[in-house]
């Protein structure tokens, strides 16, 4: 088995996956592409950051993205999140607009969502890597099989988790989740290209109402 550096709780939950042929092939492909000179994002130490930043024992919410950002310095291993100093992507601007509508928060000037992860929000992309300037370039590498299993295992072994599924791709994962054990929130994608409908979905308020009803602390969605 490849020794994957990942938060211990997640490592125990996912150790079966790390032994499977598709995952071993995935790792070899990443090594080969990197050796050939391809720029792959995020950097190696950040590939599993969504898990490292959100220890399994704290998990309350899963937000599912599709693909890491594919420009230099943008991807940081957390879906929709960008490091300080990077311009806010349009989807993230709309996420902040929905928070402003719901809670009156000012629009932040930086897009680092790490404070959410620290509170138990898993910011999971379906693919954990991407090639420079090539969106969805690793969608057939095996990552989708891996992250589908993450969703399935969380849904199976835990209760009372909020799953936020934004856009058709994320909503296609609905079948992996038992709605009798978890809250599934669906809406259009926050991207302006999705035709609207995201702003006004009330997901952040609905998530916190559900978590409070479960006896859990609500998430403070303000990042600054």
């Amino acid at each position: 088995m490849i020794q994957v550096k990942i938060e211990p709780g997640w490592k125990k939950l996912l150790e079966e996956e790390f032994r499977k042929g598709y995952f071993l092939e995935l790792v070899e492909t990443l090594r080969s592409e990197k050796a050939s000179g391809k720029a792959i994002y995020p950097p190696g130490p950040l590939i599993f950051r969504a898990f490292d930043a959100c220890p399994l024992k704290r998990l309350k919410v899963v937000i599912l993205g599709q693909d890491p950002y594919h420009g230099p310095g943008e991807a940081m291993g957390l879906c929709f999140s960008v490091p300080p100093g990077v311009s806010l992507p349009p989807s993230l601007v709309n996420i902040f607009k929905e928070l402003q509508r719901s809670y009156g928060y000012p629009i932040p000037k930086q897009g680092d969502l790490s404070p959410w992860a620290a509170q138990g929000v898993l910011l999971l992309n379906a693919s954990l890597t991407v090639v420079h300037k090539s969106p969805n370039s690793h969608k057939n590498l095996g990552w989708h099989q891996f992250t589908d299993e993450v969703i399935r295992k969380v849904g199976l072994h835990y209760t009372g988790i909020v799953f936020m599924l934004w856009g058709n791709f994320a909503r296609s994962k609905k079948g992996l989740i038992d709605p009798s054990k978890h809250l599934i929130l669906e809406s259009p994608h926050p991207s302006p290209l999705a035709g609207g409908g995201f702003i006004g979905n009330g997901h952040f308020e609905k998530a916190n109402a559900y978590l409070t009803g479960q006896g859990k602390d609500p998430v403070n969605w303000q990042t600054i």
Side-chain angles (χ1 to χ4, degrees):
M1 182 178 76
I2 293 171
Q3 290 303 312
V4 176
K5 292 181 180 178
I6 191 172
E7 190 272 332
W10 288 108
K11 187 165 189 174
K12 186 174 180 182
L13 183 71
L14 300 169
E15 59 186 351
E16 261 180 55
E17 295 308 297
F18 300 140
R19 297 191 190 100
K20 291 182 178 176
Y22 83 88
F23 193 87
L24 302 177
E25 289 177 19
L26 186 162
V27 171
E28 284 307 311
T29 302
L30 287 175
R31 286 174 176 164
S32 174
E33 289 194 358
K34 190 173 180 182
S36 73
K38 286 186 179 178
I40 295 173
Y41 307 132
L46 300 183
I47 290 174
F48 292 103
R49 187 173 177 204
F51 304 95
D52 295 333
C54 174
L56 183 58
K57 65 183 179 183
R58 292 188 199 161
L59 182 65
K60 299 176 185 173
V61 178
V62 178
I63 298 178
L64 185 65
Q66 188 165 355
D67 206 33
Y69 297 120
H70 50 80
E74 296 173 345
M76 57 182 296
L78 307 175
C79 73
F80 295 106
S81 182
V82 291
V86 174
S87 298
L88 298 183
S91 293
L92 188 53
V93 170
N94 277 346
I95 289 170
F96 287 146
K97 284 181 179 177
E98 171 58 14
L99 285 167
Q100 185 177 56
R101 187 200 67 80
S102 295
Y103 294 107
Y105 296 160
I107 304 290
K109 291 183 169 59
Q110 62 88 27
D112 184 355
L113 303 181
S114 298
W116 294 4
Q119 297 175 76
V121 180
L122 180 67
L123 295 161
L124 181 67
N125 275 314
S127 290
L128 298 189
T129 57
V130 69
V131 175
H132 173 74
K133 295 299 182 185
S134 302
N136 277 320
S137 45
H138 282 171
K139 69 176 182 179
N140 297 320
L141 221 59
W143 281 129
H144 286 196
Q145 185 173 343
F146 176 74
T147 52
D148 280 0
E149 198 61 24
V150 171
I151 296 166
R152 193 189 70 78
K153 285 184 186 296
V154 166
L156 184 65
H157 295 292
Y158 294 86
T159 57
I161 306 296
V162 180
F163 289 86
M164 295 186 182
L165 307 180
W166 301 337
N168 291 335
F169 174 80
R171 294 168 90 167
S172 73
K173 307 297 183 178
K174 183 178 178 179
L176 299 168
I177 309 158
D178 183 347
S180 70
K181 293 173 62 181
H182 306 282
L183 177 64
I184 302 172
L185 298 174
E186 301 178 68
S187 87
H189 195 277
S191 169
L193 301 176
F198 176 82
I199 297 173
N201 66 19
H203 279 194
F204 300 105
E205 295 166 284
K206 290 172 183 175
N208 276 351
Y210 178 79
L211 291 172
T212 302
Q214 297 274 324
K216 301 175 183 177
D217 291 334
V219 176
N220 176 3
W221 297 107
Q222 193 164 18
T223 57
I224 54 172

